[in-house]
Amino acid sequence: MSDNPFVLHVSVECYPAAKVGGLADVVGALPRYQKKLGWQTAVIMPWYENEWFRKQQWEVAFEGSCKLGSRTLEFEIRSRKSDEQELYAVYFPHGPQPRRVYDDPEIEHDLFHWFLRFQVAILTWIRQMKPQPTLIHCHDHHTALIPFMMTRSFAFRELDSIPTVLTVHNGRYHGAVPLARFHDLPAFDLDDIGLLEWDGKLNPLATGLKTAWHITTVSKGYLKELMTGEDPLKSLYQHEQAKCTGIVNGIDTDSWDPAADPMLDEHYNQTTVRQGKAANKIKLAEEFDFSADQPLLTFIGRLVFEKGADLLPDLLREIRENTKLPNVQIFVLGSGEQAIEDRLQQVANEFEQISLVLGYHEALAHRLYAASDFIFMPSRVEPCGLNQLYAMRYGAIPIVRRVGGLRDTVEPITKVADPQGEGFGFEEFSIAAAHGAIKEALLLYQQKARVEQVRKRIMAKELSWEHSAQQYITIYEQLKT
Ligand code: ADP
Ligand code: GLC
């Protein structure tokens, strides 16, 4: 181990090991960029019984046991044998192994237990590490009890001089359970129970906000929304304001590179963007049986309320039925709430020009960013959003609701006749507003030279992690001294 300061990232998702959404992409990329800035970095995550885990070579770095309430659980910390990013996984040998992150049948009936045992095992391991990490960086509520346990649990408070950072990727999920579940936590002074409590429940996210040394959110705009909008933890964010920073996500521009991405049908760069995107569209159109002569408008993402996915079925019907503009081909790739999936399936059956793929397909997502002319994100809430960043890198013009990180990262095109800016935006969450922005985008599409100008501009935009990774390091440096 080098003498460099050492940050341990704790997360339940990490690309490519286990991914549900952007959290995995961030934890898969940020540590590698921090390493370039002189910090030693490692990620620790739960063990999942999936193909990726099976393919890696592992060794046991530590064996131990931890107590949750009256139960003693044995565990192993497994370390991946690889020259790539240092990665550890917490493996509980007894009992069933989950294959998936949140909705695995083995764990979803008591996610609190599953996340808690993961966190307690990690602290048990860290307690005997030599040297110990310089700083622990927790991601989302699944890991947000760590700062509390490191300062209040009798078993772990010897770790209380190690600074902690909690990043809020998605403040809608708190992981709250009945307050009586505090019995499962390692013993602490009951005078501290108020730190666990919010609105009568044990609320891990609120606990993390109260006890972490520093809080970050994944964009400045989202932090502002949390402090001024309708969030149930608004007063807590306000109270903790002095230790909160908004840092916008970057993307891994080495692996998300249209000139080298192995998942694409054709490679291209800023100079060859027109031909490159056209060739990718033709390949996709052949496979999914649509005409490549039309503009392609795509939605990729979780089909859930916060992404505004419930707007899609009626909006798509409206676009198909009412638009007097040139035809547009629509592609939806996603999975999520059953009711939204069913309604989407209905419209896709009704209209030939709507392609729908339900499920999670990493390679298809890459091919879609490359083939699409527009990426549509009607999010109700968007802490940062990575789709619009990948889209810009691949020359697909974003059409976004101006909220959270979308507002921060996509400069609006206000005049189609003179398209400065990077994408189309709309404020109000409504079919009319979304449709208005799509119409503008389709007008632009008719002006090939202007489209190309915008594509080149967005492909050249600085989106890499370098700048944001430095902002995290600046915070780490301040905390460690
Ligand atoms: P969130 O994390 O809230 O889901 P982000 O925009 O931050 O939203 O990140 C979403 C990530 O997940 C992107 O990398 C996107 O390409 C990917 N993604 C979402 N749904 C799918 C899907 N059905 N198939 C493939 N990739 C998907
Ligand atoms: C969350 C947010 C998304 C963000 C991602 C990575 O899933 O919903 O907006 O980009 O985390 O930080």
Side-chain angles (χ1 to χ4, degrees), residues 13 21-26 140 167-170 218 249 302 306-307 381-388:
E13 292 185 42
L23 169 61
D25 290 8
V26 171
D140 271 350
T167 294
V168 181
H169 295 262
N170 192 335
V218 289
N249 287 333
R302 295 182 291 119
E306 57 198 278
K307 298 287 174 196
V381 183
E382 197 61 80
C384 178
L386 298 177
N387 276 336
Q388 79 281 15

Side-chain angles (χ1 to χ4, degrees), residues 335-347:
S335 64
E337 285 165 23
Q338 192 63 49
I340 302 180
E341 290 192 359
D342 292 347
R343 285 172 57 217
L344 277 170
Q345 191 65 66
Q346 269 170 18
V347 277

Side-chain angles (χ1 to χ4, degrees), residues 19-23 25 256 300-302 307 333-335 359-362 365 369 377 382 385-387 390:
K19 168 168 166 176
V20 175
L23 169 61
D25 290 8
W256 288 88
I300 302 173
R302 295 182 291 119
K307 298 287 174 196
L333 166 63
S335 64
Y360 186 90
H361 301 281
E362 187 73 28
Y369 292 117
M377 297 179 74
E382 197 61 80
L386 298 177
N387 276 336
Y390 296 138

Side-chain angles (χ1 to χ4, degrees), residues 1-74:
M1 197 175 272
S2 72
D3 291 338
N4 291 356
F6 170 34
V7 55
L8 180 65
H9 287 270
V10 187
S11 170
V12 298
E13 292 185 42
C14 178
Y15 184 80
K19 168 168 166 176
V20 175
L23 169 61
D25 290 8
V26 171
V27 177
L30 172 63
R32 280 188 283 119
Y33 282 80
Q34 291 178 324
K35 208 168 178 174
K36 295 185 195 165
L37 298 171
W39 273 61
Q40 196 202 332
T41 62
V43 173
I44 186 156
M45 67 186 304
W47 176 272
Y48 298 101
E49 204 65 36
N50 67 20
E51 202 188 327
W52 189 89
F53 275 81
R54 273 197 297 276
K55 278 194 184 149
Q56 311 301 306
Q57 302 257 314
W58 298 91
E59 61 193 2
V60 177
F62 178 71
E63 278 177 296
S65 63
C66 58
K67 272 196 83 177
L68 260 70
S70 55
R71 294 161 73 183
T72 301
L73 303 172
E74 285 170 22

Side-chain angles (χ1 to χ4, degrees), residues 277-349:
K277 285 187 76 69
N280 279 287
K281 198 201 278 186
I282 288 169
K283 281 274 166 40
L284 203 77
E286 278 167 11
E287 192 175 325
F288 289 91
D289 197 18
F290 62 80
S291 156
D293 298 335
Q294 303 170 4
L296 177 60
L297 172 87
T298 298
F299 174 98
I300 302 173
R302 295 182 291 119
L303 299 173
V304 297
F305 182 82
E306 57 198 278
K307 298 287 174 196
D310 51 318
L311 197 77
L312 288 175
D314 290 344
L315 174 67
L316 299 190
R317 177 167 283 117
E318 161 115 3
I319 293 174
R320 291 270 29 105
E321 285 174 349
N322 294 342
T323 288
K324 298 204 177 57
L325 287 164
N327 265 333
V328 52
Q329 178 66 34
I330 293 160
F331 206 117
V332 178
L333 166 63
S335 64
E337 285 165 23
Q338 192 63 49
I340 302 180
E341 290 192 359
D342 292 347
R343 285 172 57 217
L344 277 170
Q345 191 65 66
Q346 269 170 18
V347 277
N349 294 343

Side-chain angles (χ1 to χ4, degrees), residues 137-159:
H137 191 146
C138 304
H139 296 269
D140 271 350
H141 77 83
H142 334 108
T143 63
L145 291 172
I146 285 180
F148 173 85
M149 293 193 278
M150 283 173 66
T151 47
R152 304 304 201 283
S153 296
F154 302 129
F156 301 121
R157 60 186 186 190
E158 68 196 70
L159 302 175

